[in-house]
Amino acid sequence: MENKKYFFAVDLGATSGRTIIGTLDNGKFALEELTRFDNNLIETGGHFYWDIYALYLEIIKGLKLAAQRQIAITSIGIDTWGVDFVCIGSDGAILRNPLAYRDPHTFGAMEDYLEHVMPKKEVYAITGIQFMNFNSIFQLYAMKRADNTAFKQAAKFLFVPDALGFMLTGNEVCEYTIASTSQLLDPRTKQLDERLLQSLGLSRSKFGRMVNPGTVIGVLTEEVQKQTGLGAIPVIAVAEHDTGSAVAAVPAKDEKFAYLSSGTWSLMGIETKDAIINDLSYERNFTNEGGIEGTTRFLKNICGMWLYERCRKEWPEEVRRLSHPELQGSAMQAEPFRSIINPDDAMFANPPSMIGAIQAYCRKTGQPAPGTPSEICRCIFDSLALRYRQVFTYLTEIADFPIEVLHIIGGGSLNKYLNQFTANATGATVLAGPEEGTAIGNIMLQAKAAGLVKDIWEMRKIIADSLQLKRFEPADKAEWDAAYKKFQEITAQ
């Protein structure tokens, strides 16, 4: 019992967050959720913000609870969603709550930047990053364009997990995997690119020192030690981008796999040694994000369970009371492929009503609009699986190895219907689990920093040995082939 190590993981998603204790003992890991809390978007003054102080307070609450329970924490690691950042003043104070990536201030900023500042092809050639209007580069450009006070006064820009690490330790860093989501980083040099920074009127000194996953950021400040009742515990820069931590936890036996990290967003890709930046990856708008141990996550962002989550909030109380399996099961009674959408259409980014947006899309494309919760769920799951097929097909064309299996990780891996649809649509064997991929990756990287595991493959073996994965084999090929043809025709409109 004495050599059991306890690691404290903070896992923050775009809708909720958790603090978790992970243990590693005799080649097996275990997780225990300490706290769970909402992560709310705050709308005020025509903008959407994250509450960085509320998130910090939730971390403090989790640490206090660990101290009360006398858990001997070895280290702390934080992972969050990508692209968003906090402006820090020259006195070390946070200048204001960070703008959220769903804020409309970036609408038109990407097009404006690519037309007037640097051409699209040139930006892609440097970064290999998928063009999305909320990438950090376009958020910063939008702030500059709007003469934003926090932008003008910022001494440092810290990505959200780095800002929380700074609040805990007083040290400013720029962790590689989270920085790679910004579209400011060159994956070949693994550094922020001076030309892109200059295009925004920024210097490299405005960002923390670049660190790799597994680096010690610092120890808890005396202030935090007093608040929590803990000692000088190290805070580790894990793979701070939640997808980076999740992909580190894929329980693959070798390199010949694709992954689908399924949550609010779905991220489908492969792990490669080097970035893939060529005409085809540019044309298909694929991204090259930083992985652990020098790997690259070559992937595409797909709008995931955001569609379902938003619809669920709009349904009446008696529908919301149904469990996810009950609601998802009811969708199986609805007619398949009756209504198909492109999950990545801009109209689903942040509409006032997601149900209204789905119905409007269907009417616009000459399809019956789904009405009941079952019909809407069926439309979402059919459409996601067909979009997954499209992206999976692109991956098989670009990968320089045969893709033998698709690993689905994250909360979405619990949706057995969507897992089966994904196997049917892609024609690939699907292995589902772990659902807690991000937290497990976070904890495993802390364990690696503590010298308990030597590399990514040992981590993956421990994860595979600790879990029972669910297997889904493809079926109903002809039906799904016909549906995919319909999907291509509808989305081409």
Side-chain angles (χ1 to χ4, degrees):
M1 191 70 183
E2 287 310 302
N3 49 10
K4 194 192 263 194
K5 297 275 190 196
Y6 296 86
F7 302 100
F8 185 93
V10 180
D11 177 24
L12 298 176
T15 49
S16 65
R18 297 162 318 144
T19 62
I20 291 160
I21 290 290
T23 55
L24 202 57
D25 189 27
N26 294 325
K28 291 276 172 82
F29 75 85
L31 300 184
E32 183 200 344
E33 192 175 285
L34 276 182
T35 62
R36 180 180 283 266
F37 46 90
D38 288 338
N39 182 14
N40 296 307
L41 277 178
I42 300 165
E43 187 178 1
T44 177
H47 288 288
F48 288 90
Y49 297 91
W50 299 114
D51 192 339
I52 196 77
Y53 296 105
L55 294 174
Y56 172 74
L57 187 61
E58 291 293 351
I59 295 171
I60 296 295
K61 280 185 196 166
L63 290 170
K64 275 184 177 170
L65 189 58
Q68 283 160 16
R69 287 180 45 187
Q70 299 184 322
I71 298 169
I73 299 171
T74 300
S75 61
I76 298 160
I78 304 169
D79 66 76
T80 76
W81 67 97
V83 307
D84 288 341
F85 51 85
V86 179
C87 299
I88 308 287
S90 55
D91 59 354
I94 290 166
L95 294 178
R96 66 170 63 144
N97 264 328
L99 284 160
Y101 66 86
R102 294 196 189 275
D103 186 87
H105 81 125
T106 58
F107 290 178
M110 177 171 81
E111 295 75 9
D112 191 11
Y113 178 94
L114 298 173
E115 188 181 339
H116 298 114
V117 183
M118 196 182 283
K120 189 174 184 180
K121 266 216 137 134
E122 200 177 325
V123 176
Y124 191 82
I126 296 169
T127 64
I129 289 286
Q130 178 178 1
F131 287 92
M132 300 180 92
N133 70 302
F134 51 65
N135 289 348
S136 315
I137 187 173
F138 305 124
Q139 289 200 47
L140 288 161
Y141 181 68
M143 291 171 85
K144 180 175 190 255
R145 193 174 66 163
D147 209 25
N148 179 289
T149 312
F151 175 86
K152 288 193 297 184
Q153 296 299 327
K156 281 277 192 296
F157 297 95
L158 297 181
F159 295 103
V160 169
D162 291 326
L164 291 164
F166 168 64
M167 292 167 88
L168 291 174
T169 67
N171 294 337
E172 297 163 339
V173 301
C174 178
E175 188 275 325
Y176 172 62
T177 68
I178 199 82
S180 75
T181 68
S182 66
Q183 207 161 25
L184 289 167
L185 184 133
D186 182 334
R188 290 157 292 234
T189 63
K190 298 187 169 28
Q191 293 295 329
L192 299 176
D193 184 79
E194 295 286 356
R195 289 160 294 177
L196 293 170
L197 293 175
Q198 280 165 14
S199 77
L200 300 166
L202 299 175
S203 64
R204 177 62 186 84
S205 64
K206 294 274 186 185
F207 296 81
R209 69 184 171 93
M210 189 68 70
V211 298
N212 284 318
T215 306
V216 178
I217 297 170
V219 298
L220 295 179
T221 62
E222 285 182 15
E223 177 185 57
V224 175
Q225 289 179 46
K226 264 195 209 121
Q227 284 175 33
T228 58
L230 294 167
I233 292 169
V235 178
I236 308 291
V238 292
E240 289 183 353
H241 184 216
D242 50 13
T243 315
S245 275
V247 173
V250 171
K253 64 180 199 304
D254 59 34
E255 290 93 345
K256 295 173 186 167
F257 70 93
Y259 56 82
L260 174 61
S261 179
S262 177
T264 303
W265 284 94
S266 289
L267 300 107
M268 184 183 270
I270 54 176
E271 193 172 71
T272 61
K273 286 190 172 58
D274 300 304
I276 301 172
I277 303 175
N278 55 35
D279 290 343
L280 191 56
S281 71
Y282 170 74
E283 185 191 314
R284 299 264 164 85
N285 202 18
F286 269 83
T287 207
N288 289 271
E289 291 176 357
I292 74 162
E293 295 178 16
T295 57
T296 293
R297 292 177 286 122
F298 180 77
L299 62 89
K300 197 162 181 61
N301 282 287
I302 302 164
C303 185
M305 298 307 274
W306 165 251
L307 300 159
Y308 168 78
E309 287 163 9
R310 282 291 299 271
C311 288
R312 201 162 185 262
K313 280 189 172 165
E314 291 181 53
W315 283 319
E317 179 65 27
E318 65 268 19
V319 178
R320 289 204 305 272
R321 272 204 302 266
L322 295 173
S323 69
H324 292 298
E326 283 171 330
L327 189 51
Q328 291 158 7
S330 76
M332 299 308 106
Q333 312 310 313
E335 185 190 331
F337 313 124
R338 177 175 175 263
S339 314
I340 292 170
I341 60 170
N342 174 8
D344 290 319
D345 192 282
M347 66 194 290
F348 303 126
N350 196 12
S353 164
M354 186 62 81
I355 293 169
I358 289 171
Q359 291 169 335
Y361 182 98
C362 292
R363 283 193 287 267
K364 193 176 81 176
T365 51
Q367 305 176 82
T372 65
S374 301
E375 287 172 348
I376 291 166
C377 280
R378 186 67 195 229
C379 166
I380 291 169
F381 300 154
D382 285 349
S383 304
L384 280 174
L386 292 164
R387 177 67 169 143
Y388 295 161
R389 170 170 174 160
Q390 188 174 47
V391 175
F392 187 80
T393 305
Y394 295 159
L395 284 170
T396 58
E397 290 166 3
I398 294 170
D400 61 0
F401 56 85
I403 299 172
E404 293 175 353
V405 64
L406 174 62
H407 282 273
I408 300 183
I409 52 176
S413 69
L414 294 173
N415 187 335
K416 63 182 182 183
Y417 306 108
L418 185 53
N419 293 341
Q420 186 59 58
F421 286 3
T422 304
N424 296 353
T426 59
T429 295
V430 164
L431 292 177
E435 74 195 75
E436 301 282 7
T438 306
I440 293 167
N442 178 325
I443 283 153
M444 281 295 176
L445 284 157
Q446 292 187 59
K448 186 181 178 228
L452 300 186
V453 292
K454 67 173 190 294
D455 63 14
I456 194 168
W457 294 106
E458 188 179 353
M459 278 165 47
R460 285 177 170 158
K461 185 172 186 322
I462 290 169
I463 294 164
D465 289 347
S466 303
L467 294 171
Q468 192 63 53
L469 301 180
K470 292 193 171 62
R471 190 181 188 93
F472 299 85
E473 294 294 351
D476 305 328
K477 185 179 186 310
E479 287 166 46
W480 281 89
D481 286 349
Y484 185 57
K485 198 161 177 287
K486 182 181 172 183
F487 173 82
Q488 288 176 304
E489 285 162 9
I490 287 163
T491 56
Q493 294 180 39

Short mmCIF file of all heavy atoms in Angstrom, two decimals, residues 206-238:
data_model
loop_
_atom_site.label_atom_id
_atom_site.label_comp_id
_atom_site.label_asym_id
_atom_site.label_seq_id
_atom_site.Cartn_x
_atom_site.Cartn_y
_atom_site.Cartn_z
N LYS A 206 5.67 37.66 -25.44
CA LYS A 206 4.30 37.77 -24.93
C LYS A 206 3.73 36.41 -24.51
O LYS A 206 2.59 36.34 -24.03
CB LYS A 206 3.38 38.37 -26.01
CG LYS A 206 3.69 39.81 -26.36
CD LYS A 206 3.00 40.77 -25.41
CE LYS A 206 3.20 42.22 -25.84
NZ LYS A 206 2.64 43.16 -24.88
N PHE A 207 4.49 35.34 -24.73
CA PHE A 207 4.03 34.00 -24.38
C PHE A 207 5.04 33.36 -23.43
O PHE A 207 6.21 33.74 -23.42
CB PHE A 207 3.86 33.14 -25.64
CG PHE A 207 2.79 33.66 -26.56
CD1 PHE A 207 3.06 34.71 -27.44
CD2 PHE A 207 1.51 33.14 -26.53
CE1 PHE A 207 2.07 35.22 -28.27
CE2 PHE A 207 0.50 33.64 -27.36
CZ PHE A 207 0.79 34.68 -28.23
N GLY A 208 4.59 32.39 -22.64
CA GLY A 208 5.49 31.73 -21.69
C GLY A 208 6.54 30.88 -22.40
O GLY A 208 6.49 30.68 -23.62
N ARG A 209 7.48 30.34 -21.62
CA ARG A 209 8.51 29.48 -22.23
C ARG A 209 7.86 28.16 -22.65
O ARG A 209 7.00 27.62 -21.96
CB ARG A 209 9.68 29.24 -21.27
CG ARG A 209 9.35 28.41 -20.07
CD ARG A 209 10.52 28.28 -19.09
NE ARG A 209 10.07 27.65 -17.86
CZ ARG A 209 10.12 26.35 -17.61
NH1 ARG A 209 10.65 25.51 -18.49
NH2 ARG A 209 9.67 25.85 -16.47
N MET A 210 8.28 27.65 -23.82
CA MET A 210 7.69 26.43 -24.35
C MET A 210 8.17 25.23 -23.54
O MET A 210 9.37 25.06 -23.30
CB MET A 210 8.12 26.26 -25.82
CG MET A 210 7.42 25.14 -26.56
SD MET A 210 5.66 25.46 -26.82
CE MET A 210 5.69 26.77 -28.02
N VAL A 211 7.21 24.41 -23.09
CA VAL A 211 7.57 23.19 -22.34
C VAL A 211 6.83 22.00 -22.95
O VAL A 211 5.75 22.16 -23.52
CB VAL A 211 7.24 23.30 -20.83
CG1 VAL A 211 8.03 24.41 -20.16
CG2 VAL A 211 5.75 23.49 -20.58
N ASN A 212 7.41 20.83 -22.83
CA ASN A 212 6.81 19.60 -23.33
C ASN A 212 5.99 18.91 -22.23
O ASN A 212 6.24 19.13 -21.04
CB ASN A 212 7.89 18.64 -23.83
CG ASN A 212 8.42 19.09 -25.18
OD1 ASN A 212 7.66 19.49 -26.05
ND2 ASN A 212 9.74 19.04 -25.34
N PRO A 213 5.03 18.06 -22.62
CA PRO A 213 4.27 17.30 -21.62
C PRO A 213 5.21 16.52 -20.70
O PRO A 213 6.17 15.91 -21.17
CB PRO A 213 3.43 16.34 -22.46
CG PRO A 213 3.32 16.97 -23.80
CD PRO A 213 4.61 17.73 -24.00
N GLY A 214 4.92 16.60 -19.40
CA GLY A 214 5.77 15.91 -18.42
C GLY A 214 6.73 16.84 -17.69
O GLY A 214 7.43 16.42 -16.78
N THR A 215 6.73 18.14 -18.08
CA THR A 215 7.61 19.12 -17.43
C THR A 215 6.98 19.64 -16.13
O THR A 215 5.77 19.87 -16.08
CB THR A 215 7.84 20.33 -18.38
OG1 THR A 215 8.31 19.84 -19.63
CG2 THR A 215 8.83 21.32 -17.80
N VAL A 216 7.81 19.83 -15.11
CA VAL A 216 7.31 20.45 -13.86
C VAL A 216 7.21 21.96 -14.09
O VAL A 216 8.20 22.60 -14.45
CB VAL A 216 8.26 20.15 -12.67
CG1 VAL A 216 7.75 20.84 -11.40
CG2 VAL A 216 8.37 18.65 -12.43
N ILE A 217 6.01 22.52 -13.88
CA ILE A 217 5.82 23.97 -14.03
C ILE A 217 6.36 24.69 -12.79
O ILE A 217 6.98 25.74 -12.88
CB ILE A 217 4.31 24.31 -14.19
CG1 ILE A 217 3.74 23.66 -15.46
CG2 ILE A 217 4.08 25.81 -14.21
CD1 ILE A 217 2.22 23.73 -15.56
N GLY A 218 6.09 24.10 -11.64
CA GLY A 218 6.50 24.69 -10.36
C GLY A 218 5.73 24.00 -9.25
O GLY A 218 5.08 22.98 -9.49
N VAL A 219 5.80 24.54 -8.05
CA VAL A 219 5.05 23.96 -6.93
C VAL A 219 3.98 24.96 -6.50
O VAL A 219 4.05 26.15 -6.83
CB VAL A 219 5.96 23.60 -5.73
CG1 VAL A 219 6.98 22.54 -6.14
CG2 VAL A 219 6.66 24.83 -5.15
N LEU A 220 3.01 24.49 -5.75
CA LEU A 220 1.93 25.35 -5.26
C LEU A 220 2.51 26.54 -4.49
O LEU A 220 3.43 26.38 -3.68
CB LEU A 220 0.98 24.56 -4.35
CG LEU A 220 0.18 23.43 -4.99
CD1 LEU A 220 -0.68 22.74 -3.93
CD2 LEU A 220 -0.67 23.91 -6.15
N THR A 221 1.98 27.73 -4.74
CA THR A 221 2.44 28.92 -4.01
C THR A 221 2.07 28.79 -2.53
O THR A 221 1.19 28.01 -2.16
CB THR A 221 1.77 30.20 -4.56
OG1 THR A 221 0.35 30.10 -4.35
CG2 THR A 221 2.06 30.42 -6.03
N GLU A 222 2.72 29.60 -1.73
CA GLU A 222 2.41 29.59 -0.29
C GLU A 222 0.94 29.94 -0.06
O GLU A 222 0.28 29.38 0.82
CB GLU A 222 3.33 30.56 0.46
CG GLU A 222 4.74 30.00 0.60
CD GLU A 222 5.68 30.91 1.37
OE1 GLU A 222 5.18 31.85 2.04
OE2 GLU A 222 6.90 30.68 1.30
N GLU A 223 0.42 30.85 -0.87
CA GLU A 223 -0.99 31.26 -0.77
C GLU A 223 -1.91 30.04 -0.97
O GLU A 223 -2.83 29.81 -0.19
CB GLU A 223 -1.27 32.32 -1.84
CG GLU A 223 -2.71 32.79 -1.92
CD GLU A 223 -2.94 33.74 -3.09
OE1 GLU A 223 -2.67 33.37 -4.26
OE2 GLU A 223 -3.42 34.85 -2.83
N VAL A 224 -1.63 29.26 -2.02
CA VAL A 224 -2.47 28.08 -2.32
C VAL A 224 -2.26 27.01 -1.25
O VAL A 224 -3.22 26.34 -0.84
CB VAL A 224 -2.17 27.53 -3.74
CG1 VAL A 224 -2.95 26.24 -4.00
CG2 VAL A 224 -2.51 28.57 -4.80
N GLN A 225 -1.04 26.86 -0.77
CA GLN A 225 -0.78 25.88 0.30
C GLN A 225 -1.61 26.22 1.53
O GLN A 225 -2.21 25.33 2.14
CB GLN A 225 0.71 25.88 0.66
CG GLN A 225 1.60 25.27 -0.42
CD GLN A 225 3.08 25.31 -0.02
OE1 GLN A 225 3.43 24.97 1.11
NE2 GLN A 225 3.94 25.73 -0.94
N LYS A 226 -1.68 27.52 1.87
CA LYS A 226 -2.47 27.96 3.04
C LYS A 226 -3.96 27.69 2.82
O LYS A 226 -4.66 27.21 3.70
CB LYS A 226 -2.27 29.47 3.26
CG LYS A 226 -1.22 29.79 4.31
CD LYS A 226 -1.32 31.25 4.75
CE LYS A 226 0.06 31.72 5.18
NZ LYS A 226 0.55 32.87 4.41
N GLN A 227 -4.44 28.02 1.61
CA GLN A 227 -5.88 27.86 1.31
C GLN A 227 -6.31 26.41 1.36
O GLN A 227 -7.43 26.10 1.75
CB GLN A 227 -6.18 28.40 -0.09
CG GLN A 227 -6.24 29.90 -0.21
CD GLN A 227 -6.43 30.31 -1.67
OE1 GLN A 227 -7.08 29.62 -2.43
NE2 GLN A 227 -5.87 31.43 -2.03
N THR A 228 -5.43 25.51 0.92
CA THR A 228 -5.84 24.11 0.73
C THR A 228 -5.41 23.19 1.87
O THR A 228 -5.97 22.11 2.04
CB THR A 228 -5.23 23.55 -0.57
OG1 THR A 228 -3.79 23.67 -0.50
CG2 THR A 228 -5.76 24.28 -1.79
N GLY A 229 -4.38 23.62 2.62
CA GLY A 229 -3.84 22.74 3.65
C GLY A 229 -2.88 21.70 3.09
O GLY A 229 -2.57 20.70 3.74
N LEU A 230 -2.39 21.95 1.87
CA LEU A 230 -1.42 21.03 1.24
C LEU A 230 -0.02 21.63 1.31
O LEU A 230 0.16 22.82 1.61
CB LEU A 230 -1.80 20.79 -0.23
CG LEU A 230 -3.12 20.02 -0.46
CD1 LEU A 230 -3.53 20.13 -1.93
CD2 LEU A 230 -2.99 18.56 -0.06
N GLY A 231 0.97 20.81 0.99
CA GLY A 231 2.36 21.28 0.97
C GLY A 231 2.75 21.77 -0.42
O GLY A 231 1.90 22.04 -1.27
N ALA A 232 4.06 21.85 -0.66
CA ALA A 232 4.60 22.38 -1.92
C ALA A 232 4.54 21.29 -3.01
O ALA A 232 5.55 20.74 -3.43
CB ALA A 232 6.03 22.87 -1.71
N ILE A 233 3.33 20.97 -3.43
CA ILE A 233 3.13 19.88 -4.41
C ILE A 233 3.45 20.38 -5.81
O ILE A 233 3.03 21.48 -6.20
CB ILE A 233 1.68 19.35 -4.32
CG1 ILE A 233 1.49 18.65 -2.96
CG2 ILE A 233 1.35 18.39 -5.45
CD1 ILE A 233 0.07 18.34 -2.64
N PRO A 234 4.19 19.59 -6.62
CA PRO A 234 4.49 20.02 -7.99
C PRO A 234 3.25 20.00 -8.89
O PRO A 234 2.40 19.11 -8.77
CB PRO A 234 5.53 19.01 -8.48
CG PRO A 234 5.69 17.99 -7.43
CD PRO A 234 4.83 18.32 -6.27
N VAL A 235 3.19 21.00 -9.76
CA VAL A 235 2.18 21.03 -10.83
C VAL A 235 2.91 20.67 -12.13
O VAL A 235 3.93 21.27 -12.46
CB VAL A 235 1.52 22.42 -10.94
CG1 VAL A 235 0.51 22.45 -12.09
CG2 VAL A 235 0.84 22.80 -9.62
N ILE A 236 2.38 19.65 -12.80
CA ILE A 236 3.03 19.12 -14.01
C ILE A 236 2.29 19.62 -15.25
O ILE A 236 1.05 19.60 -15.28
CB ILE A 236 2.99 17.56 -14.02
CG1 ILE A 236 3.53 16.98 -12.72
CG2 ILE A 236 3.71 16.98 -15.25
CD1 ILE A 236 5.00 17.15 -12.48
N ALA A 237 3.03 20.08 -16.26
CA ALA A 237 2.42 20.33 -17.57
C ALA A 237 2.19 18.97 -18.21
O ALA A 237 3.14 18.32 -18.66
CB ALA A 237 3.35 21.19 -18.42
N VAL A 238 0.95 18.49 -18.17
CA VAL A 238 0.62 17.22 -18.85
C VAL A 238 0.43 17.56 -20.33
O VAL A 238 0.87 18.62 -20.78
CB VAL A 238 -0.64 16.58 -18.22
CG1 VAL A 238 -0.34 16.12 -16.80
CG2 VAL A 238 -1.83 17.54 -18.22
#
